[in-house]
Amino acid sequence: MDSRRAILEALRRAGAPAVPAPPHPAPIRYADPERQFAEALVAVGGRFFRAPDAAGLSAQLAGLEPFASARRMVSLVPGVGRSDLDLSQAADPHALEGLDYAVLPGELGVAENGAVWVAGDRLPLRGLFVVPQHLAIVVPAGALVHTMQDAYARISFSGRGFGVFVSGPSKTADIEQALVIGAHGARSCAVGMVG
């Protein structure tokens, strides 16, 4: 028997008995998922708005300085904000340069971390959630789940085959623990829950 085989045989003889996997923890269920979502969103630097309809949300966003002063804005949500750029004519993400504000549709919100799933097939250009200086994401009130596990059970990758979870504005921190907001993307992120 060569040394390799001898070592492998020794390892097999010394192997520990099989151990069953631990039980899966019970899924988290929040008594008030909307409140949990709002608190989690604020904790990651976002702002939460609640409105009965698109017009009500638009009126609330108008109170935000970045929304009110935006020179160039794109909205993919009817009735919220305006569109100064015709995205059907923008085949290149460079067309988004100088975009101050984007209003995007969210598919669902996650209560445990304040994240919103934005489906890629609803974005004409992938850069729409990265290039604008500020974001607002609109989520239907009935599209709130408790956990990321619940979210993954609901999302699909049909169409363009991508999507993103957005959790507040862009953030990064270095080894000196200096947190920078807006380093790689939007400097602010408001989430409006409508319905």
Side-chain angles (χ1 to χ4, degrees):
M1 178 180 296
D2 62 20
S3 60
R4 177 179 178 273
R5 190 174 303 243
I7 292 171
L8 291 174
E9 286 298 323
L11 288 173
R12 285 189 190 99
R13 284 192 306 273
V19 177
H24 193 277
I28 298 170
R29 293 291 174 257
Y30 297 101
D32 186 346
E34 185 175 312
R35 179 177 175 187
Q36 171 61 31
F37 177 83
E39 290 175 357
L41 178 65
V42 169
V44 295
R47 296 191 65 175
F48 178 76
F49 293 90
R50 185 69 164 88
D53 52 30
L57 178 60
S58 199
Q60 290 184 51
L61 292 176
L64 296 176
E65 191 280 327
F67 187 89
S69 65
R71 290 170 292 159
R72 290 185 79 207
M73 180 184 296
V74 165
S75 176
L76 301 180
V77 180
V80 182
R82 64 179 196 278
S83 287
D84 303 318
L85 176 65
D86 183 1
L87 291 175
S88 67
Q89 303 298 316
D92 187 301
H94 289 95
L96 302 175
E97 182 178 356
L99 192 60
D100 296 311
Y101 215 101
V103 181
L104 307 178
E107 296 289 319
L108 58 88
V110 184
E112 74 174 340
N113 59 10
V116 176
W117 174 253
V118 179
D121 57 355
R122 298 185 70 183
L123 302 178
L125 295 171
R126 287 185 180 200
L128 266 173
F129 67 93
V130 178
V131 175
Q133 294 292 314
H134 306 276
L135 285 179
I137 305 175
V138 182
V139 181
L144 189 60
V145 297
H146 292 266
T147 65
M148 289 297 287
Q149 289 86 350
D150 297 330
Y152 277 110
R154 289 183 54 175
I155 63 176
S156 66
F157 290 95
S158 59
R160 297 176 71 188
F162 87 99
V164 293
F165 280 105
V166 178
S167 183
S170 169
K171 306 171 270 302
T172 189
D174 60 19
I175 58 174
E176 295 179 353
Q177 300 182 348
L179 178 64
V180 178
I181 301 290
H184 307 295
R187 293 187 289 152
S188 73
C189 179
V191 175
M193 195 159 286
V194 174

